[in-house]
Amino acid sequence: MINIDTFAYNSKLKDRDPMEKLLFTFVTLSVCLWANSIIISLTVLLIMTWSTIYGGGIPRTVYFKLLLIPMVFLIFGVLAVAIEITPQPYEFLGSISFFNFYLGVSKAGLITATQLFFRALGAVSCLYYLSLNTPMIDVMSALRKLRCPKLLVEMMSLIYRFIFIFITTAETMIIAQSSRLGYSRFMSGYRSLSLLISSIFIRSYQQADKIYTSLESRGYDGELNVLEKSKGYISTGYLKVLGINVFLVILTFII
Amino acid sequence: MSEHILQTKNLSYSYPDGTTALDDINVNIKRGQTTAILGGNGAGKTTLFLNLNGVLKPSSGNVIYGGKSIEYSKKGLTALRQAVGLVFQDPDHQLFSASVYQDVSFGPMNLRLSEEIVRKRVEESLIKTGIYDLKDKPTHCLSFGQKKRVAIAGVLAMEPEVLVLDEPTAGLDPKGVGEIMRLLKEMQQDLGFSIIIATHDVDIVPLYCDYAYVLDEGKVAMEGSPNEVFSKAELLRNLHLRLPRIAHLMEILRKNDDFEIGNFASTISQARKEIKRWRENLRLVNK
Protein backbone atom coordinates (compact mmCIF):
# COMPACT_ATOMS: atom_id res chain seq x y z
CA MET A 1 0.00 0.00 0.00
CA ILE A 2 2.78 2.41 0.91
CA ASN A 3 4.52 1.47 -2.30
CA ILE A 4 1.56 2.45 -4.44
CA ASP A 5 1.48 5.72 -2.52
CA THR A 6 5.14 6.51 -3.30
CA PHE A 7 4.63 5.75 -6.99
CA ALA A 8 1.66 8.07 -7.12
CA TYR A 9 3.76 10.94 -5.75
CA ASN A 10 6.49 10.25 -8.30
CA SER A 11 4.23 9.75 -11.31
CA LYS A 12 4.70 11.99 -14.32
CA LEU A 13 0.93 12.48 -14.38
CA LYS A 14 0.91 13.66 -10.76
CA ASP A 15 0.25 17.27 -11.60
CA ARG A 16 -2.55 16.56 -14.06
CA ASP A 17 -6.02 17.72 -13.07
CA PRO A 18 -7.24 14.95 -10.72
CA MET A 19 -10.81 15.41 -11.95
CA GLU A 20 -9.71 14.45 -15.46
CA LYS A 21 -8.01 11.31 -14.19
CA LEU A 22 -10.99 10.40 -12.04
CA LEU A 23 -13.30 10.86 -15.01
CA PHE A 24 -11.01 8.90 -17.33
CA THR A 25 -10.90 6.03 -14.85
CA PHE A 26 -14.57 5.74 -14.07
CA VAL A 27 -16.02 6.44 -17.52
CA THR A 28 -13.66 3.94 -19.13
CA LEU A 29 -14.37 1.49 -16.33
CA SER A 30 -18.11 1.79 -16.93
CA VAL A 31 -17.70 1.32 -20.68
CA CYS A 32 -15.53 -1.74 -20.05
CA LEU A 33 -18.15 -3.28 -17.74
CA TRP A 34 -21.07 -2.35 -19.99
CA ALA A 35 -19.57 -3.58 -23.28
CA ASN A 36 -18.81 -7.06 -21.94
CA SER A 37 -16.69 -7.99 -24.92
CA ILE A 38 -13.22 -9.44 -24.96
CA ILE A 39 -11.97 -6.99 -27.57
CA ILE A 40 -13.18 -3.92 -25.68
CA SER A 41 -11.75 -5.27 -22.42
CA LEU A 42 -8.41 -5.90 -24.10
CA THR A 43 -8.43 -2.42 -25.65
CA VAL A 44 -9.14 -0.88 -22.25
CA LEU A 45 -6.37 -2.96 -20.67
CA LEU A 46 -3.99 -1.82 -23.40
CA ILE A 47 -4.91 1.88 -23.15
CA MET A 48 -4.65 1.90 -19.36
CA THR A 49 -1.40 -0.04 -19.28
CA TRP A 50 0.09 2.25 -21.89
CA SER A 51 -1.06 5.39 -20.02
CA THR A 52 0.32 4.12 -16.74
CA ILE A 53 3.68 2.89 -17.99
CA TYR A 54 4.47 5.47 -20.68
CA GLY A 55 2.29 8.33 -19.48
CA GLY A 56 2.94 7.98 -15.78
CA GLY A 57 6.42 6.51 -15.93
CA ILE A 58 5.59 3.69 -13.53
CA PRO A 59 8.24 0.93 -13.80
CA ARG A 60 7.02 -1.93 -15.99
CA THR A 61 8.00 -4.65 -13.53
CA VAL A 62 6.11 -2.97 -10.70
CA TYR A 63 3.00 -2.63 -12.81
CA PHE A 64 2.94 -6.24 -13.95
CA LYS A 65 3.64 -7.48 -10.44
CA LEU A 66 0.69 -5.46 -9.24
CA LEU A 67 -1.48 -6.96 -11.99
CA LEU A 68 -0.53 -10.42 -10.69
CA ILE A 69 -2.15 -9.72 -7.33
CA PRO A 70 -5.79 -9.84 -8.54
CA MET A 71 -4.85 -12.67 -10.91
CA VAL A 72 -5.05 -15.25 -8.12
CA PHE A 73 -8.60 -14.29 -7.24
CA LEU A 74 -9.49 -13.95 -10.89
CA ILE A 75 -8.30 -17.41 -11.85
CA PHE A 76 -10.16 -19.10 -9.03
CA GLY A 77 -13.28 -17.07 -9.74
CA VAL A 78 -13.15 -17.80 -13.44
CA LEU A 79 -12.58 -21.52 -12.84
CA ALA A 80 -15.76 -21.64 -10.79
CA VAL A 81 -17.67 -20.12 -13.71
CA ALA A 82 -16.06 -22.28 -16.40
CA ILE A 83 -16.36 -25.66 -14.73
CA GLU A 84 -19.82 -27.07 -14.49
CA ILE A 85 -21.05 -30.06 -12.52
CA THR A 86 -23.95 -32.01 -14.04
CA PRO A 87 -25.37 -35.51 -13.60
CA GLN A 88 -25.34 -35.99 -17.44
CA PRO A 89 -22.39 -35.15 -19.72
CA TYR A 90 -23.98 -32.57 -21.99
CA GLU A 91 -22.40 -30.30 -24.58
CA PHE A 92 -19.08 -30.59 -22.83
CA LEU A 93 -15.87 -29.98 -24.69
CA GLY A 94 -14.15 -32.23 -22.24
CA SER A 95 -15.17 -33.83 -18.99
CA ILE A 96 -14.22 -36.26 -16.30
CA SER A 97 -16.64 -38.45 -14.42
CA PHE A 98 -16.67 -38.15 -10.75
CA PHE A 99 -18.79 -40.73 -8.89
CA ASN A 100 -22.27 -40.02 -10.29
CA PHE A 101 -21.38 -36.57 -11.59
CA TYR A 102 -19.55 -35.12 -14.52
CA LEU A 103 -17.07 -32.26 -14.15
CA GLY A 104 -16.74 -30.50 -17.47
CA VAL A 105 -16.22 -27.39 -19.50
CA SER A 106 -18.79 -26.28 -22.06
CA LYS A 107 -18.20 -23.89 -24.95
CA ALA A 108 -20.64 -21.32 -23.57
CA GLY A 109 -19.09 -21.57 -20.12
CA LEU A 110 -15.64 -21.08 -21.54
CA ILE A 111 -16.69 -17.97 -23.44
CA THR A 112 -18.38 -16.46 -20.37
CA ALA A 113 -15.33 -17.21 -18.28
CA THR A 114 -12.89 -15.61 -20.74
CA GLN A 115 -15.14 -12.57 -21.08
CA LEU A 116 -15.34 -12.26 -17.32
CA PHE A 117 -11.60 -12.66 -16.94
CA PHE A 118 -10.68 -9.87 -19.34
CA ARG A 119 -13.51 -7.64 -18.19
CA ALA A 120 -12.25 -7.83 -14.61
CA LEU A 121 -8.65 -7.34 -15.71
CA GLY A 122 -9.63 -4.27 -17.74
CA ALA A 123 -11.47 -2.84 -14.76
CA VAL A 124 -8.50 -3.49 -12.50
CA SER A 125 -6.19 -1.72 -14.94
CA CYS A 126 -8.48 1.34 -14.82
CA LEU A 127 -8.24 1.45 -11.04
CA TYR A 128 -4.48 0.97 -11.13
CA TYR A 129 -4.22 3.88 -13.52
CA LEU A 130 -5.97 6.05 -10.94
CA SER A 131 -4.16 4.81 -7.86
CA LEU A 132 -0.68 4.75 -9.39
CA ASN A 133 -0.90 8.21 -10.92
CA THR A 134 -3.01 10.18 -8.46
CA PRO A 135 -1.84 11.05 -4.96
CA MET A 136 -4.58 10.39 -2.41
CA ILE A 137 -4.75 14.09 -1.57
CA ASP A 138 -5.76 14.84 -5.16
CA VAL A 139 -8.41 12.14 -5.19
CA MET A 140 -9.90 13.71 -2.09
CA SER A 141 -9.78 17.21 -3.51
CA ALA A 142 -11.60 15.94 -6.62
CA LEU A 143 -14.21 14.28 -4.41
CA ARG A 144 -14.64 17.56 -2.60
CA LYS A 145 -15.25 19.31 -5.91
CA LEU A 146 -17.78 16.64 -6.83
CA ARG A 147 -19.74 17.67 -3.73
CA CYS A 148 -19.07 14.46 -1.90
CA PRO A 149 -20.29 14.89 1.72
CA LYS A 150 -17.76 17.01 3.58
CA LEU A 151 -17.70 14.75 6.61
CA LEU A 152 -16.78 11.78 4.46
CA VAL A 153 -13.88 13.55 2.75
CA GLU A 154 -12.61 14.96 6.06
CA MET A 155 -12.69 11.48 7.59
CA MET A 156 -10.88 10.09 4.58
CA SER A 157 -8.13 12.67 4.81
CA LEU A 158 -7.66 12.19 8.56
CA ILE A 159 -7.62 8.41 8.20
CA TYR A 160 -5.14 8.64 5.36
CA ARG A 161 -2.82 10.85 7.42
CA PHE A 162 -3.06 8.69 10.52
CA ILE A 163 -2.54 5.38 8.79
CA PHE A 164 1.08 6.41 8.38
CA ILE A 165 1.49 7.51 12.00
CA PHE A 166 -0.24 4.30 13.04
CA ILE A 167 2.11 2.16 10.96
CA THR A 168 5.24 3.89 12.28
CA THR A 169 4.01 3.56 15.86
CA ALA A 170 3.19 -0.11 15.41
CA GLU A 171 6.53 -0.74 13.71
CA THR A 172 8.55 0.88 16.50
CA MET A 173 6.57 -1.01 19.10
CA ILE A 174 7.04 -4.35 17.36
CA ILE A 175 10.80 -3.74 17.08
CA ALA A 176 10.95 -2.74 20.75
CA GLN A 177 9.03 -5.87 21.71
CA SER A 178 11.13 -8.23 19.63
CA SER A 179 14.35 -6.67 20.90
CA ARG A 180 13.21 -7.88 24.32
CA LEU A 181 12.42 -11.31 22.84
CA GLY A 182 8.69 -10.63 22.83
CA TYR A 183 8.09 -12.86 19.83
CA SER A 184 10.65 -15.59 20.50
CA ARG A 185 8.14 -18.26 21.54
CA PHE A 186 4.61 -18.91 20.50
CA MET A 187 2.98 -18.06 23.84
CA SER A 188 5.05 -14.94 24.43
CA GLY A 189 4.34 -13.84 20.88
CA TYR A 190 0.66 -14.25 21.54
CA ARG A 191 0.91 -12.14 24.68
CA SER A 192 3.07 -9.46 23.00
CA LEU A 193 0.54 -9.13 20.21
CA SER A 194 -2.30 -8.56 22.65
CA LEU A 195 -0.23 -5.95 24.50
CA LEU A 196 0.63 -4.31 21.18
CA ILE A 197 -2.99 -4.06 20.13
CA SER A 198 -4.16 -2.64 23.45
CA SER A 199 -1.38 -0.08 23.69
CA ILE A 200 -1.92 1.01 20.10
CA PHE A 201 -5.54 1.60 21.00
CA ILE A 202 -4.55 3.76 23.97
CA ARG A 203 -1.96 5.63 21.91
CA SER A 204 -4.50 6.36 19.19
CA TYR A 205 -6.85 7.74 21.77
CA GLN A 206 -4.16 10.02 23.20
CA GLN A 207 -3.10 11.06 19.69
CA ALA A 208 -6.67 11.99 18.84
CA ASP A 209 -6.87 14.07 21.99
CA LYS A 210 -3.63 15.90 21.22
CA ILE A 211 -4.51 16.57 17.62
CA TYR A 212 -7.85 17.98 18.74
CA THR A 213 -6.07 20.36 21.12
CA SER A 214 -3.71 21.53 18.41
CA LEU A 215 -6.51 21.99 15.89
CA GLU A 216 -8.40 24.01 18.45
CA SER A 217 -5.40 26.27 19.01
CA ARG A 218 -5.46 27.07 15.29
CA GLY A 219 -9.11 28.03 15.43
CA TYR A 220 -10.87 24.73 14.56
CA ASP A 221 -14.62 25.22 14.56
CA GLY A 222 -15.95 21.86 13.46
CA GLU A 223 -14.86 21.96 9.85
CA LEU A 224 -11.43 21.27 8.43
CA ASN A 225 -11.28 24.13 5.99
CA VAL A 226 -8.22 23.92 3.82
CA LEU A 227 -7.08 25.24 0.49
CA GLU A 228 -5.75 23.03 -2.23
CA LYS A 229 -2.91 23.86 -4.50
CA SER A 230 -4.50 24.77 -7.79
CA LYS A 231 -3.72 22.30 -10.56
CA GLY A 232 -3.60 23.07 -14.22
CA TYR A 233 -6.87 22.52 -16.01
CA ILE A 234 -6.40 21.37 -19.59
CA SER A 235 -9.48 21.01 -21.76
CA THR A 236 -7.63 18.73 -24.21
CA GLY A 237 -7.34 16.24 -21.37
CA TYR A 238 -11.12 16.06 -21.09
CA LEU A 239 -11.42 15.87 -24.88
CA LYS A 240 -9.06 12.90 -24.83
CA VAL A 241 -11.23 11.15 -22.21
CA LEU A 242 -14.32 11.81 -24.31
CA GLY A 243 -12.63 10.73 -27.54
CA ILE A 244 -11.32 7.45 -26.20
CA ASN A 245 -14.65 6.48 -24.71
CA VAL A 246 -16.69 7.43 -27.78
CA PHE A 247 -14.28 5.30 -29.79
CA LEU A 248 -14.78 2.38 -27.40
CA VAL A 249 -18.57 2.66 -27.52
CA ILE A 250 -18.58 2.80 -31.33
CA LEU A 251 -16.21 -0.17 -31.43
CA THR A 252 -18.65 -2.12 -29.25
CA PHE A 253 -21.51 -1.52 -31.71
CA ILE A 254 -19.41 -2.42 -34.76
CA ILE A 255 -18.42 -5.76 -33.29
CA MET B 1 0.35 50.26 23.43
CA SER B 2 1.52 48.73 26.63
CA GLU B 3 5.05 47.46 26.96
CA HIS B 4 3.79 43.98 27.69
CA ILE B 5 1.95 42.15 24.96
CA LEU B 6 0.93 39.13 26.98
CA GLN B 7 0.58 38.79 30.73
CA THR B 8 -0.87 36.42 33.25
CA LYS B 9 -2.19 37.65 36.59
CA ASN B 10 -2.37 35.15 39.44
CA LEU B 11 -3.10 32.43 36.93
CA SER B 12 -3.99 29.07 38.44
CA TYR B 13 -5.12 25.98 36.65
CA SER B 14 -6.30 22.63 37.98
CA TYR B 15 -7.07 19.65 35.80
CA PRO B 16 -10.54 18.13 36.12
CA ASP B 17 -9.09 15.31 38.24
CA GLY B 18 -8.03 17.90 40.83
CA THR B 19 -4.27 18.03 40.24
CA THR B 20 -3.00 21.59 40.36
CA ALA B 21 -0.86 22.22 37.29
CA LEU B 22 -0.35 25.96 37.65
CA ASP B 23 -0.36 27.88 40.88
CA ASP B 24 -0.49 31.66 40.97
CA ILE B 25 1.60 32.35 37.88
CA ASN B 26 2.56 35.92 37.03
CA VAL B 27 4.31 36.22 33.71
CA ASN B 28 4.92 39.37 31.68
CA ILE B 29 5.93 38.98 28.08
CA LYS B 30 7.56 42.03 26.56
CA ARG B 31 6.71 43.06 23.04
CA GLY B 32 9.27 42.02 20.43
CA GLN B 33 11.39 40.02 22.86
CA THR B 34 12.18 36.35 23.21
CA THR B 35 11.18 34.88 26.53
CA ALA B 36 12.22 31.45 27.73
CA ILE B 37 10.08 29.36 30.04
CA LEU B 38 12.46 26.91 31.68
CA GLY B 39 11.47 23.99 33.80
CA GLY B 40 11.95 20.27 34.22
CA ASN B 41 9.52 17.67 32.97
CA GLY B 42 6.07 18.17 34.39
CA ALA B 43 6.77 21.69 35.63
CA GLY B 44 3.67 23.02 33.87
CA LYS B 45 5.13 24.64 30.76
CA THR B 46 2.72 23.06 28.29
CA THR B 47 -0.29 23.72 30.51
CA LEU B 48 0.74 27.36 30.75
CA PHE B 49 0.93 27.56 26.96
CA LEU B 50 -2.51 26.06 26.50
CA ASN B 51 -3.81 28.72 28.86
CA LEU B 52 -2.08 31.49 26.91
CA ASN B 53 -3.81 30.35 23.73
CA GLY B 54 -7.23 29.94 25.34
CA VAL B 55 -7.43 26.19 24.78
CA LEU B 56 -7.60 25.83 28.56
CA LYS B 57 -9.48 28.27 30.73
CA PRO B 58 -7.79 29.29 33.98
CA SER B 59 -9.37 28.05 37.21
CA SER B 60 -8.63 31.48 38.64
CA GLY B 61 -6.69 34.54 37.56
CA ASN B 62 -6.42 36.13 34.15
CA VAL B 63 -4.62 36.01 30.87
CA ILE B 64 -4.15 39.52 29.58
CA TYR B 65 -3.46 40.24 25.94
CA GLY B 66 -2.47 43.75 24.86
CA GLY B 67 -3.62 45.14 28.19
CA LYS B 68 -7.07 43.54 28.05
CA SER B 69 -8.32 40.48 29.85
CA ILE B 70 -9.20 37.86 27.25
CA GLU B 71 -12.80 36.93 26.58
CA TYR B 72 -13.73 33.30 26.31
CA SER B 73 -16.43 33.94 23.74
CA LYS B 74 -16.14 32.49 20.25
CA LYS B 75 -15.12 35.84 18.83
CA GLY B 76 -12.66 36.56 21.62
CA LEU B 77 -11.06 33.15 21.26
CA THR B 78 -10.69 33.43 17.50
CA ALA B 79 -8.98 36.79 17.94
CA LEU B 80 -6.71 35.38 20.66
CA ARG B 81 -5.77 32.30 18.67
CA GLN B 82 -4.89 34.45 15.70
CA ALA B 83 -2.72 36.69 17.86
CA VAL B 84 -1.07 33.97 19.92
CA GLY B 85 0.13 31.11 17.73
CA LEU B 86 1.03 27.82 19.36
CA VAL B 87 3.57 25.40 17.89
CA PHE B 88 3.42 22.02 19.56
CA GLN B 89 6.35 19.88 20.58
CA ASP B 90 5.55 16.87 18.41
CA PRO B 91 4.72 17.94 14.86
CA ASP B 92 2.78 14.70 14.41
CA HIS B 93 0.33 16.06 16.96
CA GLN B 94 -0.16 19.18 14.92
CA LEU B 95 -0.05 18.19 11.26
CA PHE B 96 -3.40 16.68 10.46
CA SER B 97 -3.29 16.79 6.69
CA ALA B 98 -1.23 14.63 4.38
CA SER B 99 -0.55 17.69 2.24
CA VAL B 100 1.87 20.34 3.43
CA TYR B 101 0.03 23.04 1.51
CA GLN B 102 -3.36 22.10 2.97
CA ASP B 103 -2.05 21.97 6.50
CA VAL B 104 -0.47 25.41 6.32
CA SER B 105 -3.69 26.83 4.87
CA PHE B 106 -5.82 25.52 7.75
CA GLY B 107 -5.12 28.37 10.22
CA PRO B 108 -5.70 31.30 7.84
CA MET B 109 -8.81 29.58 6.42
CA ASN B 110 -10.26 29.54 9.93
CA LEU B 111 -9.74 33.29 10.10
CA ARG B 112 -12.29 33.54 7.25
CA LEU B 113 -9.87 35.31 4.96
CA SER B 114 -10.40 35.38 1.22
CA GLU B 115 -8.86 32.61 -0.83
CA GLU B 116 -6.46 35.01 -2.49
CA ILE B 117 -5.07 36.27 0.82
CA VAL B 118 -4.81 32.73 2.21
CA ARG B 119 -2.82 31.61 -0.83
CA LYS B 120 -0.48 34.56 -0.45
CA ARG B 121 0.05 33.89 3.23
CA VAL B 122 0.63 30.16 2.69
CA GLU B 123 3.24 30.80 0.01
CA GLU B 124 4.93 33.46 2.13
CA SER B 125 5.20 31.33 5.23
CA LEU B 126 6.44 28.38 3.20
CA ILE B 127 9.18 30.60 1.78
CA LYS B 128 10.04 32.14 5.15
CA THR B 129 10.43 28.78 6.85
CA GLY B 130 12.54 27.53 3.94
CA ILE B 131 10.24 24.68 2.93
CA TYR B 132 8.76 25.99 -0.30
CA ASP B 133 10.28 23.02 -2.13
CA LEU B 134 8.36 20.63 0.11
CA LYS B 135 4.90 21.98 -0.67
CA ASP B 136 4.06 19.08 -2.98
CA LYS B 137 5.48 16.41 -0.71
CA PRO B 138 3.16 14.34 1.46
CA THR B 139 3.57 14.97 5.19
CA HIS B 140 4.50 11.37 5.97
CA CYS B 141 7.59 11.53 3.72
CA LEU B 142 9.16 14.43 5.62
CA SER B 143 11.92 14.21 8.21
CA PHE B 144 11.29 15.29 11.79
CA GLY B 145 13.03 18.63 11.28
CA GLN B 146 11.05 19.30 8.11
CA LYS B 147 7.77 18.49 9.87
CA LYS B 148 8.75 20.92 12.61
CA ARG B 149 9.17 23.64 9.99
CA VAL B 150 5.79 22.84 8.48
CA ALA B 151 4.25 23.13 11.94
CA ILE B 152 5.87 26.54 12.36
CA ALA B 153 4.75 27.63 8.87
CA GLY B 154 1.18 26.61 9.72
CA VAL B 155 1.15 28.95 12.70
CA LEU B 156 3.10 31.70 10.94
CA ALA B 157 0.47 31.86 8.20
CA MET B 158 -1.98 33.15 10.82
CA GLU B 159 0.38 36.13 11.28
CA PRO B 160 0.50 35.99 15.08
CA GLU B 161 1.79 38.74 17.33
CA VAL B 162 3.20 36.17 19.72
CA LEU B 163 4.72 32.90 18.60
CA VAL B 164 4.63 30.32 21.38
CA LEU B 165 6.80 27.25 20.84
CA ASP B 166 6.80 24.18 23.03
CA GLU B 167 10.27 22.61 23.02
CA PRO B 168 11.21 23.84 19.52
CA THR B 169 14.59 22.12 19.66
CA ALA B 170 13.55 18.77 21.13
CA GLY B 171 14.39 15.86 18.88
CA LEU B 172 16.48 17.88 16.43
CA ASP B 173 20.14 17.23 15.63
CA PRO B 174 22.68 19.93 16.65
CA LYS B 175 22.62 21.49 13.18
CA GLY B 176 18.82 21.46 13.19
CA VAL B 177 18.71 23.19 16.57
CA GLY B 178 20.91 26.02 15.31
CA GLU B 179 18.92 26.33 12.10
CA ILE B 180 15.53 26.49 13.80
CA MET B 181 16.67 29.02 16.38
CA ARG B 182 18.34 31.25 13.78
CA LEU B 183 15.25 30.97 11.59
CA LEU B 184 13.07 32.13 14.48
CA LYS B 185 15.34 35.05 15.28
CA GLU B 186 15.50 36.13 11.63
CA MET B 187 11.74 36.01 11.28
CA GLN B 188 11.41 37.92 14.53
CA GLN B 189 13.59 40.69 13.10
CA ASP B 190 11.58 40.77 9.87
CA LEU B 191 8.11 40.56 11.33
CA GLY B 192 8.62 41.92 14.83
CA PHE B 193 6.63 39.32 16.70
CA SER B 194 7.34 38.22 20.26
CA ILE B 195 8.55 34.69 20.94
CA ILE B 196 7.97 32.48 23.95
CA ILE B 197 9.79 29.17 24.06
CA ALA B 198 9.46 26.40 26.58
CA THR B 199 12.62 24.39 26.86
CA HIS B 200 14.91 22.47 29.14
CA ASP B 201 17.77 22.94 26.70
CA VAL B 202 19.52 25.57 28.85
CA ASP B 203 22.35 26.13 26.37
CA ILE B 204 20.13 27.94 23.86
CA VAL B 205 18.71 30.33 26.45
CA PRO B 206 21.64 32.77 26.84
CA LEU B 207 22.17 32.71 23.06
CA TYR B 208 18.67 33.50 21.89
CA CYS B 209 16.55 34.73 24.79
CA ASP B 210 16.16 38.13 26.42
CA TYR B 211 14.34 37.04 29.54
CA ALA B 212 13.69 33.78 31.33
CA TYR B 213 11.18 32.34 33.77
CA VAL B 214 11.84 29.13 35.63
CA LEU B 215 8.81 27.07 36.52
CA ASP B 216 8.76 24.43 39.18
CA GLU B 217 5.74 22.40 40.24
CA GLY B 218 3.41 24.93 38.67
CA LYS B 219 4.97 27.99 40.31
CA VAL B 220 7.35 30.64 39.02
CA ALA B 221 10.53 29.78 40.91
CA MET B 222 12.91 32.30 39.34
CA GLU B 223 12.86 35.05 36.76
CA GLY B 224 15.27 37.50 35.21
CA SER B 225 17.67 37.95 32.33
CA PRO B 226 19.42 34.69 31.37
CA ASN B 227 22.61 35.73 33.15
CA GLU B 228 20.69 36.67 36.29
CA VAL B 229 18.98 33.31 36.32
CA PHE B 230 22.12 31.31 35.59
CA SER B 231 24.15 33.11 38.23
CA LYS B 232 22.10 31.27 40.85
CA ALA B 233 23.51 27.86 40.11
CA GLU B 234 22.49 26.03 43.29
CA LEU B 235 18.88 27.15 43.10
CA LEU B 236 18.71 26.10 39.46
CA ARG B 237 20.05 22.62 40.21
CA ASN B 238 17.34 22.09 42.79
CA LEU B 239 14.80 22.76 40.05
CA HIS B 240 15.96 19.83 37.85
CA LEU B 241 17.94 22.15 35.58
CA ARG B 242 21.61 22.86 35.11
CA LEU B 243 23.86 25.70 34.02
CA PRO B 244 24.71 26.15 30.35
CA ARG B 245 27.96 24.28 29.69
CA ILE B 246 29.97 27.47 29.32
CA ALA B 247 28.59 28.97 32.52
CA HIS B 248 29.44 25.73 34.30
CA LEU B 249 33.00 25.83 33.00
CA MET B 250 33.38 29.42 34.14
CA GLU B 251 32.02 28.50 37.55
CA ILE B 252 34.59 25.72 37.92
CA LEU B 253 37.41 27.98 36.77
CA ARG B 254 36.40 30.58 39.31
CA LYS B 255 35.82 28.25 42.24
CA ASN B 256 38.50 25.61 41.83
CA ASP B 257 41.23 27.18 39.73
CA ASP B 258 41.44 30.69 41.15
CA PHE B 259 40.57 32.47 37.94
CA GLU B 260 39.50 35.97 38.80
CA ILE B 261 36.86 36.48 36.19
CA GLY B 262 34.82 39.56 36.65
CA ASN B 263 31.51 39.28 34.86
CA PHE B 264 29.26 36.32 34.59
CA ALA B 265 29.51 34.55 31.24
CA SER B 266 27.20 31.91 29.83
CA THR B 267 27.93 31.99 26.10
CA ILE B 268 31.10 31.31 24.18
CA SER B 269 31.56 34.94 23.14
CA GLN B 270 31.00 36.27 26.67
CA ALA B 271 33.44 33.72 28.08
CA ARG B 272 36.03 34.52 25.43
CA LYS B 273 35.83 38.19 26.31
CA GLU B 274 36.22 37.53 30.03
CA ILE B 275 39.15 35.15 29.59
CA LYS B 276 40.94 37.60 27.29
CA ARG B 277 40.41 40.34 29.82
CA TRP B 278 41.81 38.07 32.51
CA ARG B 279 44.89 37.40 30.39
CA GLU B 280 45.44 41.13 29.80
CA ASN B 281 45.22 41.79 33.52
CA LEU B 282 47.74 39.01 34.14
CA ARG B 283 50.16 40.54 31.64
CA LEU B 284 49.87 43.95 33.24
CA VAL B 285 50.56 42.47 36.66
CA ASN B 286 53.59 40.56 35.37
CA LYS B 287 55.08 43.65 33.82
Side-chain angles (χ1 to χ4, degrees), chain A residues 8 16 24 33 53 75 78 96 99 104 109 112 117 120 124 134 139 159 161 175-176 189 226:
Chain A
R16 273 288 185 83
F24 187 37
L33 293 179
I53 293 176
I75 289 172
V78 162
I96 40 171
F99 297 109
T112 323
F117 180 82
V124 166
T134 327
V139 177
I159 290 170
R161 165 86 179 107
I175 292 170
V226 289

Side-chain angles (χ1 to χ4, degrees), chain A residues 37-100:
Chain A
S37 106
I38 296 173
I39 295 174
I40 297 294
S41 304
L42 274 174
T43 323
V44 168
L45 182 65
L46 218 67
I47 292 172
M48 287 304 178
T49 305
W50 189 86
S51 314
T52 309
I53 293 176
Y54 293 96
I58 306 298
R60 216 168 304 178
T61 44
V62 173
Y63 183 78
F64 287 115
K65 263 186 202 156
L66 280 173
L67 267 189
L68 281 179
I69 299 171
M71 212 65 99
V72 183
F73 301 100
L74 261 179
I75 289 172
F76 278 109
V78 162
L79 277 182
V81 173
I83 297 172
E84 289 167 55
I85 307 173
T86 47
Q88 299 295 323
Y90 106 108
E91 285 186 11
F92 278 164
L93 298 174
S95 64
I96 40 171
S97 65
F98 192 71
F99 297 109
N100 295 334

Side-chain angles (χ1 to χ4, degrees), chain A residues 161 214 221 227-229, chain B residues 92-93 95 105 112 119 136:
Chain A
R161 165 86 179 107
S214 78
D221 59 357
L227 264 194
E228 271 117 31
K229 238 186 91 238
Chain B
D92 277 334
H93 289 156
L95 308 179
S105 73
R112 306 261 179 263
R119 279 201 197 285
D136 294 328

Side-chain angles (χ1 to χ4, degrees), chain A residues 213-214 216-218, chain B residues 6-8 11-13 15 21-23 25-29 33-40 42-58 62-65 70 72 77 80-90 94 148 155 162-170 181 184 194-201 204-205 209 211-215 218 220:
Chain A
T213 311
S214 78
E216 217 183 358
S217 84
R218 281 202 279 166
Chain B
L6 195 61
Q7 291 167 291
T8 65
L11 174 80
S12 297
Y13 181 82
Y15 277 103
L22 299 175
D23 185 7
I25 302 260
N26 287 295
V27 169
N28 299 301
I29 308 297
Q33 284 203 342
T34 304
T35 309
I37 309 280
L38 287 161
K45 293 171 295 197
T46 308
T47 314
L48 174 63
F49 283 4
L50 293 177
N51 273 285
L52 293 181
N53 184 265
V55 172
L56 297 179
K57 197 177 166 186
N62 293 326
V63 178
I64 296 160
Y65 175 75
I70 59 172
Y72 290 88
L77 283 179
L80 179 73
R81 284 169 189 168
Q82 184 271 315
V84 181
L86 198 50
V87 180
F88 287 78
Q89 178 177 355
D90 186 346
Q94 185 170 339
K148 204 118 197 174
V155 173
V162 187
L163 194 62
V164 182
L165 302 109
D166 197 356
E167 303 278 0
T169 60
M181 292 311 296
L184 289 172
S194 319
I195 297 178
I196 309 177
I197 54 176
T199 186
H200 40 228
D201 182 358
I204 61 168
V205 175
C209 301
Y211 204 77
Y213 287 88
V214 183
L215 291 192
V220 175

Side-chain angles (χ1 to χ4, degrees), chain B residues 250 252-263 265 269-287:
Chain B
M250 298 301 273
I252 291 172
L253 287 177
R254 191 182 349 225
K255 270 194 187 161
N256 302 352
D257 302 320
D258 292 333
F259 272 64
E260 283 160 18
I261 296 167
N263 295 325
S269 65
Q270 285 171 358
R272 189 173 167 216
K273 212 162 94 189
E274 291 307 320
I275 291 175
K276 271 177 159 172
R277 177 152 50 197
W278 172 79
R279 190 183 60 185
E280 285 306 310
N281 287 342
L282 206 66
R283 273 188 194 150
L284 288 175
V285 172
N286 284 347
K287 270 176 195 168

Side-chain angles (χ1 to χ4, degrees), chain A residues 161-230:
Chain A
R161 165 86 179 107
F162 288 113
I163 280 174
F164 293 98
I165 295 183
F166 183 84
I167 288 173
T168 353
T169 316
E171 250 170 21
T172 341
M173 276 170 34
I174 290 170
I175 292 170
Q177 283 182 327
S178 20
S179 79
R180 284 179 289 162
L181 302 177
Y183 293 96
S184 59
R185 273 173 298 163
F186 180 74
M187 272 319 282
S188 62
Y190 201 66
R191 212 167 39 115
S192 300
L193 190 68
S194 78
L195 282 173
L196 177 77
I197 292 169
S198 60
S199 54
I200 281 185
F201 179 75
I202 295 167
R203 288 268 182 104
S204 313
Y205 186 76
Q206 287 174 335
Q207 175 92 22
D209 203 45
K210 292 219 165 104
I211 207 104
Y212 184 77
T213 311
S214 78
L215 284 178
E216 217 183 358
S217 84
R218 281 202 279 166
Y220 177 61
D221 59 357
E223 268 181 16
L224 293 171
N225 299 311
V226 289
L227 264 194
E228 271 117 31
K229 238 186 91 238
S230 42

